[in-house]
Amino acid sequence: MDGSGVGMVAESQRHSCRAARALVKPQESHMAKGRKISVVGAGAVGTAVAYAALIRQVANEIALYDINTPKVEAEAADLAHGSHFTGWPHVSGSSDIAVTSGSDIVVITAGAKQNPGQSRLELVRDNARILKAMIPKLVEASPDAIFILVTNPCDVLTMVAQRISGLPTSRVISSGTVLDSSRLRRLIADRARISTASVHASIIGEHGDSEFPMWSVARIGAVPIADYRVNGHQVFPPDVLDDLAHQVMTSAYKVIAGKGATNFAIGLSASRICEAILRDEHSVQPVSSILHGQYGIDGVALSLPSVLGASGVEQVLDTPLSEDEKAKLRASADAILNSFKLVEKEL
Protein backbone atom coordinates (compact mmCIF):
# COMPACT_ATOMS: atom_id res chain seq x y z
CA MET A 1 0.00 0.00 0.00
CA ASP A 2 1.37 3.49 -0.87
CA GLY A 3 1.54 6.45 1.50
CA SER A 4 -1.78 7.89 0.38
CA GLY A 5 -3.46 4.55 1.14
CA VAL A 6 -2.04 4.52 4.66
CA GLY A 7 -3.27 8.08 5.14
CA MET A 8 -6.76 7.13 3.99
CA VAL A 9 -6.86 4.21 6.46
CA ALA A 10 -5.66 6.42 9.32
CA GLU A 11 -8.24 9.08 8.47
CA SER A 12 -10.94 6.41 8.33
CA GLN A 13 -9.90 5.15 11.77
CA ARG A 14 -10.05 8.70 13.16
CA HIS A 15 -13.58 9.08 11.80
CA SER A 16 -14.53 5.74 13.40
CA CYS A 17 -13.14 6.84 16.76
CA ARG A 18 -15.06 10.13 16.60
CA ALA A 19 -18.22 8.24 15.69
CA ALA A 20 -17.71 5.85 18.62
CA ARG A 21 -17.26 8.78 21.01
CA ALA A 22 -20.41 10.40 19.63
CA LEU A 23 -22.36 7.23 20.28
CA VAL A 24 -21.60 7.24 24.03
CA LYS A 25 -22.31 10.92 24.58
CA PRO A 26 -26.11 10.64 24.81
CA GLN A 27 -25.79 7.99 27.53
CA GLU A 28 -23.32 10.05 29.51
CA SER A 29 -25.34 13.25 29.17
CA HIS A 30 -28.20 11.87 31.28
CA MET A 31 -25.93 11.55 34.30
CA ALA A 32 -25.49 14.32 36.85
CA LYS A 33 -21.90 15.41 36.25
CA GLY A 34 -19.55 15.82 39.19
CA ARG A 35 -22.19 14.62 41.64
CA LYS A 36 -21.71 12.09 44.40
CA ILE A 37 -24.24 10.14 46.42
CA SER A 38 -23.14 8.23 49.51
CA VAL A 39 -25.40 5.55 50.96
CA VAL A 40 -24.86 4.72 54.62
CA GLY A 41 -25.78 1.11 55.27
CA ALA A 42 -25.21 -1.77 52.85
CA GLY A 43 -28.24 -3.80 53.86
CA ALA A 44 -31.31 -4.54 51.78
CA VAL A 45 -32.49 -0.92 51.69
CA GLY A 46 -29.10 0.71 51.20
CA THR A 47 -28.12 -1.53 48.31
CA ALA A 48 -31.55 -0.99 46.73
CA VAL A 49 -31.01 2.78 46.90
CA ALA A 50 -27.56 2.44 45.35
CA TYR A 51 -28.84 0.07 42.64
CA ALA A 52 -31.75 2.36 41.76
CA ALA A 53 -29.42 5.37 41.60
CA LEU A 54 -27.09 3.37 39.37
CA ILE A 55 -29.68 2.25 36.83
CA ARG A 56 -31.41 5.66 36.83
CA GLN A 57 -28.02 7.34 36.23
CA VAL A 58 -28.64 9.79 39.06
CA ALA A 59 -24.97 10.53 39.86
CA ASN A 60 -21.53 9.88 38.46
CA GLU A 61 -20.21 8.59 41.78
CA ILE A 62 -21.90 6.27 44.25
CA ALA A 63 -20.27 5.31 47.55
CA LEU A 64 -21.44 2.69 50.04
CA TYR A 65 -20.44 2.87 53.70
CA ASP A 66 -21.03 0.13 56.25
CA ILE A 67 -19.15 -1.16 59.29
CA ASN A 68 -19.29 -4.70 57.87
CA THR A 69 -16.19 -4.65 55.65
CA PRO A 70 -16.68 -7.87 53.64
CA LYS A 71 -20.36 -7.07 53.07
CA VAL A 72 -19.90 -3.48 51.89
CA GLU A 73 -16.95 -4.32 49.64
CA ALA A 74 -18.84 -7.21 48.07
CA GLU A 75 -21.98 -5.13 47.47
CA ALA A 76 -19.95 -2.31 45.90
CA ALA A 77 -18.11 -4.76 43.67
CA ASP A 78 -21.38 -6.36 42.57
CA LEU A 79 -22.79 -2.95 41.65
CA ALA A 80 -19.58 -1.90 39.89
CA HIS A 81 -19.58 -5.07 37.79
CA GLY A 82 -22.83 -3.94 36.17
CA SER A 83 -21.93 -0.29 35.76
CA HIS A 84 -20.83 -0.90 32.16
CA PHE A 85 -24.52 -1.12 31.30
CA THR A 86 -25.59 2.03 33.12
CA GLY A 87 -23.34 4.90 32.10
CA TRP A 88 -20.11 4.00 33.92
CA PRO A 89 -20.37 5.85 37.24
CA HIS A 90 -17.65 5.21 39.79
CA VAL A 91 -18.84 2.84 42.52
CA SER A 92 -16.94 2.33 45.77
CA GLY A 93 -17.58 0.69 49.11
CA SER A 94 -15.72 0.75 52.40
CA SER A 95 -16.00 0.44 56.17
CA ASP A 96 -13.95 3.64 56.38
CA ILE A 97 -16.30 6.62 56.64
CA ALA A 98 -13.85 8.60 54.51
CA VAL A 99 -15.42 6.88 51.49
CA THR A 100 -18.33 9.33 51.89
CA SER A 101 -16.11 12.44 51.70
CA GLY A 102 -17.24 15.18 49.35
CA SER A 103 -20.77 13.89 48.92
CA ASP A 104 -23.51 16.08 47.52
CA ILE A 105 -26.13 13.82 49.09
CA VAL A 106 -25.83 11.37 51.98
CA VAL A 107 -28.64 8.84 52.20
CA ILE A 108 -28.84 7.18 55.63
CA THR A 109 -30.38 3.72 55.65
CA ALA A 110 -28.39 2.19 58.51
CA GLY A 111 -30.25 1.27 61.65
CA ALA A 112 -32.01 -1.41 63.62
CA LYS A 113 -34.31 -3.56 61.52
CA GLN A 114 -38.08 -3.24 61.86
CA ASN A 115 -39.51 -6.59 62.93
CA PRO A 116 -42.91 -7.97 61.94
CA GLY A 117 -45.62 -6.29 64.00
CA GLN A 118 -43.27 -3.60 65.31
CA SER A 119 -44.24 0.04 64.71
CA ARG A 120 -41.75 2.45 63.21
CA LEU A 121 -41.87 4.64 66.31
CA GLU A 122 -40.72 1.73 68.51
CA LEU A 123 -37.39 1.82 66.70
CA VAL A 124 -36.56 5.36 67.72
CA ARG A 125 -34.20 4.81 70.68
CA ASP A 126 -31.88 2.33 68.98
CA ASN A 127 -31.64 4.30 65.77
CA ALA A 128 -31.20 7.66 67.52
CA ARG A 129 -28.12 6.23 69.25
CA ILE A 130 -26.72 5.10 65.91
CA LEU A 131 -27.23 8.58 64.43
CA LYS A 132 -25.63 10.26 67.43
CA ALA A 133 -22.44 8.31 66.81
CA MET A 134 -22.46 8.69 63.04
CA ILE A 135 -23.83 12.11 62.05
CA PRO A 136 -20.91 14.29 63.26
CA LYS A 137 -18.44 12.19 61.26
CA LEU A 138 -20.60 12.26 58.15
CA VAL A 139 -21.02 16.05 58.37
CA GLU A 140 -17.27 16.48 58.83
CA ALA A 141 -16.66 14.38 55.70
CA SER A 142 -19.32 16.19 53.63
CA PRO A 143 -20.13 19.58 55.22
CA ASP A 144 -22.10 20.80 52.19
CA ALA A 145 -24.18 17.68 51.68
CA ILE A 146 -27.93 17.29 51.86
CA PHE A 147 -28.85 14.48 54.25
CA ILE A 148 -31.78 12.20 53.48
CA LEU A 149 -33.04 9.92 56.25
CA VAL A 150 -34.57 6.64 55.12
CA THR A 151 -34.04 4.79 58.41
CA ASN A 152 -37.26 4.47 60.40
CA PRO A 153 -38.90 6.19 62.10
CA CYS A 154 -37.72 8.67 59.49
CA ASP A 155 -39.67 11.73 60.69
CA VAL A 156 -38.36 11.51 64.25
CA LEU A 157 -34.86 10.70 63.04
CA THR A 158 -34.92 13.74 60.77
CA MET A 159 -35.40 15.84 63.90
CA VAL A 160 -32.67 13.89 65.68
CA ALA A 161 -30.20 14.27 62.78
CA GLN A 162 -30.91 17.98 62.39
CA ARG A 163 -30.44 18.58 66.11
CA ILE A 164 -27.13 16.69 66.14
CA SER A 165 -25.79 18.21 62.92
CA GLY A 166 -26.95 21.79 63.38
CA LEU A 167 -27.49 21.98 59.61
CA PRO A 168 -30.31 24.06 58.08
CA THR A 169 -33.64 22.24 58.15
CA SER A 170 -33.81 22.43 54.36
CA ARG A 171 -30.77 20.14 54.16
CA VAL A 172 -31.85 17.45 56.63
CA ILE A 173 -34.94 15.74 55.28
CA SER A 174 -36.39 12.27 54.99
CA SER A 175 -38.02 10.14 52.32
CA GLY A 176 -41.24 10.75 54.22
CA THR A 177 -44.40 9.68 52.41
CA VAL A 178 -42.99 9.70 48.87
CA LEU A 179 -43.26 5.91 48.76
CA ASP A 180 -46.65 5.90 50.53
CA SER A 181 -47.95 8.33 47.91
CA SER A 182 -46.65 6.07 45.15
CA ARG A 183 -48.51 3.16 46.73
CA LEU A 184 -51.69 5.23 46.85
CA ARG A 185 -51.42 6.34 43.23
CA ARG A 186 -50.86 2.77 42.12
CA LEU A 187 -54.00 1.60 43.92
CA ILE A 188 -56.07 4.44 42.49
CA ALA A 189 -54.74 3.88 38.99
CA ASP A 190 -55.46 0.16 39.15
CA ARG A 191 -59.06 0.71 40.25
CA ALA A 192 -59.70 3.46 37.70
CA ARG A 193 -57.75 1.61 34.97
CA ILE A 194 -55.68 4.64 34.08
CA SER A 195 -52.02 5.62 34.15
CA THR A 196 -50.45 6.55 37.48
CA ALA A 197 -49.19 9.70 35.74
CA SER A 198 -52.79 10.93 35.63
CA VAL A 199 -53.31 10.43 39.36
CA HIS A 200 -52.63 13.45 41.57
CA ALA A 201 -52.91 12.28 45.16
CA SER A 202 -50.57 12.29 48.14
CA ILE A 203 -50.21 10.79 51.58
CA ILE A 204 -49.10 13.34 54.18
CA GLY A 205 -48.23 13.51 57.88
CA GLU A 206 -46.15 10.88 59.63
CA HIS A 207 -44.56 8.11 57.61
CA GLY A 208 -46.36 5.64 59.82
CA ASP A 209 -49.62 4.77 61.46
CA SER A 210 -51.02 8.31 61.59
CA GLU A 211 -50.44 9.11 57.91
CA PHE A 212 -53.45 9.92 55.73
CA PRO A 213 -54.40 10.86 52.15
CA MET A 214 -55.28 14.41 51.16
CA TRP A 215 -58.59 13.37 49.64
CA SER A 216 -59.86 16.96 49.57
CA VAL A 217 -57.41 17.87 46.80
CA ALA A 218 -56.92 14.43 45.15
CA ARG A 219 -57.57 14.42 41.42
CA ILE A 220 -57.64 12.11 38.44
CA GLY A 221 -56.64 14.43 35.67
CA ALA A 222 -58.60 17.54 36.57
CA VAL A 223 -61.51 15.62 38.14
CA PRO A 224 -61.86 15.48 41.95
CA ILE A 225 -61.52 11.86 42.95
CA ALA A 226 -64.93 11.71 44.62
CA ASP A 227 -66.51 12.88 41.34
CA TYR A 228 -64.70 10.41 39.10
CA ARG A 229 -67.22 8.20 37.31
CA VAL A 230 -67.20 5.49 34.67
CA ASN A 231 -70.47 4.96 32.79
CA GLY A 232 -72.20 7.07 35.41
CA HIS A 233 -70.99 4.99 38.37
CA GLN A 234 -68.94 6.54 41.17
CA VAL A 235 -65.61 4.71 41.22
CA PHE A 236 -64.39 6.05 44.57
CA PRO A 237 -67.22 6.25 47.13
CA PRO A 238 -66.23 7.00 50.76
CA ASP A 239 -65.91 3.34 51.79
CA VAL A 240 -63.50 2.68 48.91
CA LEU A 241 -61.41 5.71 49.85
CA ASP A 242 -61.21 4.46 53.44
CA ASP A 243 -60.12 1.02 52.21
CA LEU A 244 -57.42 2.49 49.95
CA ALA A 245 -56.02 4.54 52.83
CA HIS A 246 -55.94 1.43 55.03
CA GLN A 247 -54.18 -0.59 52.31
CA VAL A 248 -51.48 2.05 52.00
CA MET A 249 -50.95 2.30 55.75
CA THR A 250 -50.60 -1.48 56.18
CA SER A 251 -48.80 -2.33 52.95
CA ALA A 252 -45.30 -2.13 54.45
CA TYR A 253 -46.26 -4.45 57.29
CA LYS A 254 -47.50 -7.03 54.78
CA VAL A 255 -44.27 -6.88 52.82
CA ILE A 256 -42.19 -7.15 56.00
CA ALA A 257 -44.24 -10.14 57.14
CA GLY A 258 -43.67 -11.88 53.82
CA LYS A 259 -40.03 -11.14 53.04
CA GLY A 260 -38.55 -9.50 56.14
CA ALA A 261 -38.05 -6.00 54.76
CA THR A 262 -39.21 -3.48 52.21
CA ASN A 263 -36.39 -2.50 49.91
CA PHE A 264 -37.06 -2.24 46.17
CA ALA A 265 -39.74 0.46 46.22
CA ILE A 266 -38.03 2.55 48.90
CA GLY A 267 -34.81 2.27 46.91
CA LEU A 268 -36.56 3.71 43.87
CA SER A 269 -38.28 6.48 45.81
CA ALA A 270 -35.09 7.56 47.61
CA SER A 271 -33.26 7.55 44.30
CA ARG A 272 -35.99 9.72 42.79
CA ILE A 273 -35.58 12.25 45.62
CA CYS A 274 -31.81 12.37 44.97
CA GLU A 275 -32.48 12.87 41.27
CA ALA A 276 -34.76 15.85 41.90
CA ILE A 277 -32.13 17.48 44.10
CA LEU A 278 -29.07 16.83 41.94
CA ARG A 279 -30.85 17.97 38.79
CA ASP A 280 -32.34 21.02 40.53
CA GLU A 281 -35.76 20.05 39.21
CA HIS A 282 -37.95 22.12 41.52
CA SER A 283 -40.35 19.19 41.46
CA VAL A 284 -43.00 18.68 44.13
CA GLN A 285 -42.72 15.60 46.34
CA PRO A 286 -44.11 14.83 49.81
CA VAL A 287 -40.78 14.54 51.61
CA SER A 288 -40.56 15.10 55.34
CA SER A 289 -38.87 18.21 56.71
CA ILE A 290 -39.05 20.23 59.91
CA LEU A 291 -41.95 22.66 59.66
CA HIS A 292 -41.81 26.33 60.59
CA GLY A 293 -45.35 27.31 61.45
CA GLN A 294 -47.24 25.65 58.62
CA TYR A 295 -50.75 24.76 59.83
CA GLY A 296 -49.70 25.98 63.27
CA ILE A 297 -46.99 23.30 63.57
CA ASP A 298 -43.43 24.31 64.44
CA GLY A 299 -40.28 22.25 64.98
CA VAL A 300 -41.76 18.90 63.94
CA ALA A 301 -40.81 16.93 60.83
CA LEU A 302 -43.83 15.95 58.73
CA SER A 303 -44.45 15.09 55.10
CA LEU A 304 -46.15 17.74 53.01
CA PRO A 305 -45.91 18.53 49.30
CA SER A 306 -42.56 20.31 49.01
CA VAL A 307 -40.44 21.83 46.25
CA LEU A 308 -37.14 19.96 45.86
CA GLY A 309 -34.13 21.59 44.28
CA ALA A 310 -30.38 21.93 44.57
CA SER A 311 -30.56 23.29 48.11
CA GLY A 312 -32.90 20.57 49.36
CA VAL A 313 -36.41 21.54 50.44
CA GLU A 314 -36.84 24.98 48.93
CA GLN A 315 -40.49 25.46 49.85
CA VAL A 316 -43.24 23.63 51.70
CA LEU A 317 -46.40 24.29 49.72
CA ASP A 318 -49.36 25.89 51.42
CA THR A 319 -51.76 23.16 50.32
CA PRO A 320 -55.46 23.70 51.11
CA LEU A 321 -56.64 21.14 53.66
CA SER A 322 -60.05 20.38 55.08
CA GLU A 323 -60.62 20.93 58.80
CA ASP A 324 -60.57 17.16 59.31
CA GLU A 325 -57.25 16.88 57.49
CA LYS A 326 -55.76 19.70 59.58
CA ALA A 327 -56.79 17.83 62.72
CA LYS A 328 -55.20 14.62 61.42
CA LEU A 329 -52.00 16.51 60.59
CA ARG A 330 -51.82 17.91 64.11
CA ALA A 331 -52.36 14.39 65.49
CA SER A 332 -49.45 13.19 63.37
CA ALA A 333 -47.31 16.02 64.69
CA ASP A 334 -48.21 15.13 68.28
CA ALA A 335 -47.27 11.47 67.75
CA ILE A 336 -43.90 12.39 66.26
CA LEU A 337 -43.14 15.01 68.90
CA ASN A 338 -43.98 12.60 71.73
CA SER A 339 -41.60 10.06 70.23
CA PHE A 340 -38.86 12.68 69.81
CA LYS A 341 -39.16 13.61 73.47
CA LEU A 342 -38.16 10.04 74.37
CA VAL A 343 -34.66 10.67 73.03
CA GLU A 344 -34.30 14.46 73.12
CA LYS A 345 -32.40 14.54 76.41
CA GLU A 346 -29.87 12.03 75.09
CA LEU A 347 -28.84 14.16 72.11
Side-chain angles (χ1 to χ4, degrees), residues 106-180:
V106 176
V107 182
I108 299 177
T109 71
K113 185 178 179 181
Q114 186 177 4
N115 296 315
Q118 184 182 30
S119 74
R120 296 178 179 98
L121 291 180
E122 289 174 326
L123 294 172
V124 65
R125 279 198 175 93
D126 289 342
N127 287 337
R129 292 189 190 102
I130 293 171
L131 288 185
K132 187 176 180 180
M134 206 166 41
I135 288 290
K137 298 175 184 177
L138 290 170
V139 173
E140 184 180 4
S142 301
D144 299 319
I146 293 168
F147 287 76
I148 301 174
L149 278 295
V150 176
T151 306
N152 281 317
C154 63
D155 304 294
V156 179
L157 294 181
T158 296
M159 297 166 66
V160 169
Q162 194 280 327
R163 176 72 62 87
I164 294 169
S165 68
L167 294 174
T169 57
S170 61
R171 288 173 48 200
V172 184
I173 66 178
S174 85
S175 52
T177 57
V178 173
L179 173 53
D180 306 275

Side-chain angles (χ1 to χ4, degrees), residues 8-70:
M8 289 175 65
V9 170
E11 182 63 24
S12 175
Q13 289 174 336
R14 283 193 293 272
H15 279 298
S16 296
C17 289
R18 284 195 295 269
R21 286 195 296 271
L23 285 173
V24 303
K25 283 182 180 178
Q27 185 178 28
E28 292 180 322
S29 66
H30 291 296
M31 195 175 300
K33 298 297 183 183
R35 295 301 190 181
K36 177 177 179 178
I37 296 172
S38 287
V39 181
V40 178
V45 175
T47 52
V49 173
Y51 181 61
L54 183 71
I55 61 175
R56 288 181 66 88
Q57 300 184 1
V58 174
N60 72 337
E61 186 173 356
I62 299 170
L64 275 176
Y65 165 69
D66 196 289
I67 60 174
N68 185 334
T69 303

Side-chain angles (χ1 to χ4, degrees), residues 1-338:
M1 184 179 293
D2 61 19
S4 62
V6 172
M8 289 175 65
V9 170
E11 182 63 24
S12 175
Q13 289 174 336
R14 283 193 293 272
H15 279 298
S16 296
C17 289
R18 284 195 295 269
R21 286 195 296 271
L23 285 173
V24 303
K25 283 182 180 178
Q27 185 178 28
E28 292 180 322
S29 66
H30 291 296
M31 195 175 300
K33 298 297 183 183
R35 295 301 190 181
K36 177 177 179 178
I37 296 172
S38 287
V39 181
V40 178
V45 175
T47 52
V49 173
Y51 181 61
L54 183 71
I55 61 175
R56 288 181 66 88
Q57 300 184 1
V58 174
N60 72 337
E61 186 173 356
I62 299 170
L64 275 176
Y65 165 69
D66 196 289
I67 60 174
N68 185 334
T69 303
K71 167 74 169 170
V72 71
E73 291 180 351
E75 294 288 7
D78 198 13
L79 288 165
H81 294 163
S83 61
H84 164 71
F85 306 107
T86 60
W88 309 290
H90 178 70
V91 181
S92 57
S94 176
S95 56
D96 184 347
I97 206 165
V99 75
T100 67
S101 295
S103 298
D104 296 280
I105 294 178
V106 176
V107 182
I108 299 177
T109 71
K113 185 178 179 181
Q114 186 177 4
N115 296 315
Q118 184 182 30
S119 74
R120 296 178 179 98
L121 291 180
E122 289 174 326
L123 294 172
V124 65
R125 279 198 175 93
D126 289 342
N127 287 337
R129 292 189 190 102
I130 293 171
L131 288 185
K132 187 176 180 180
M134 206 166 41
I135 288 290
K137 298 175 184 177
L138 290 170
V139 173
E140 184 180 4
S142 301
D144 299 319
I146 293 168
F147 287 76
I148 301 174
L149 278 295
V150 176
T151 306
N152 281 317
C154 63
D155 304 294
V156 179
L157 294 181
T158 296
M159 297 166 66
V160 169
Q162 194 280 327
R163 176 72 62 87
I164 294 169
S165 68
L167 294 174
T169 57
S170 61
R171 288 173 48 200
V172 184
I173 66 178
S174 85
S175 52
T177 57
V178 173
L179 173 53
D180 306 275
S181 298
S182 175
R183 289 166 173 153
L184 178 65
R185 292 169 190 173
R186 176 75 270 165
L187 290 170
I188 293 171
D190 286 348
R191 183 173 177 83
R193 296 185 179 181
I194 58 169
S195 166
T196 55
S198 297
V199 178
H200 310 290
S202 295
I203 299 285
I204 63 171
E206 173 202 359
H207 173 57
D209 295 341
S210 66
E211 66 184 26
F212 62 96
M214 293 191 299
W215 290 134
S216 64
V217 293
R219 300 285 188 273
I220 295 176
V223 180
I225 193 164
D227 297 333
Y228 187 80
R229 284 171 166 77
V230 175
N231 297 325
H233 297 289
Q234 186 180 19
V235 179
F236 298 98
D239 62 320
V240 169
L241 296 181
D242 289 343
D243 180 62
L244 293 178
H246 179 73
Q247 286 188 58
V248 171
M249 189 184 72
T250 59
S251 58
Y253 296 129
K254 290 181 179 179
V255 174
I256 291 169
K259 59 177 274 189
T262 61
N263 61 315
F264 294 129
I266 186 60
L268 285 165
S269 60
S271 174
R272 179 67 188 96
I273 294 167
C274 292
E275 188 175 358
I277 292 170
L278 291 181
R279 295 178 182 173
D280 197 22
E281 289 183 1
H282 297 90
S283 63
V284 176
Q285 298 187 41
V287 295
S288 178
S289 64
I290 296 175
L291 302 187
H292 298 284
Q294 292 90 345
Y295 309 99
I297 300 168
D298 190 67
V300 180
L302 286 170
S303 289
L304 285 167
S306 305
V307 179
L308 283 179
S311 59
V313 170
E314 300 187 343
Q315 181 185 356
V316 178
L317 298 184
D318 186 13
T319 307
L321 298 178
S322 69
E323 290 304 314
D324 179 60
E325 289 167 343
K326 290 177 183 178
K328 289 180 178 178
L329 192 66
R330 286 190 288 269
S332 253
D334 289 342
I336 292 166
L337 185 58
N338 288 337

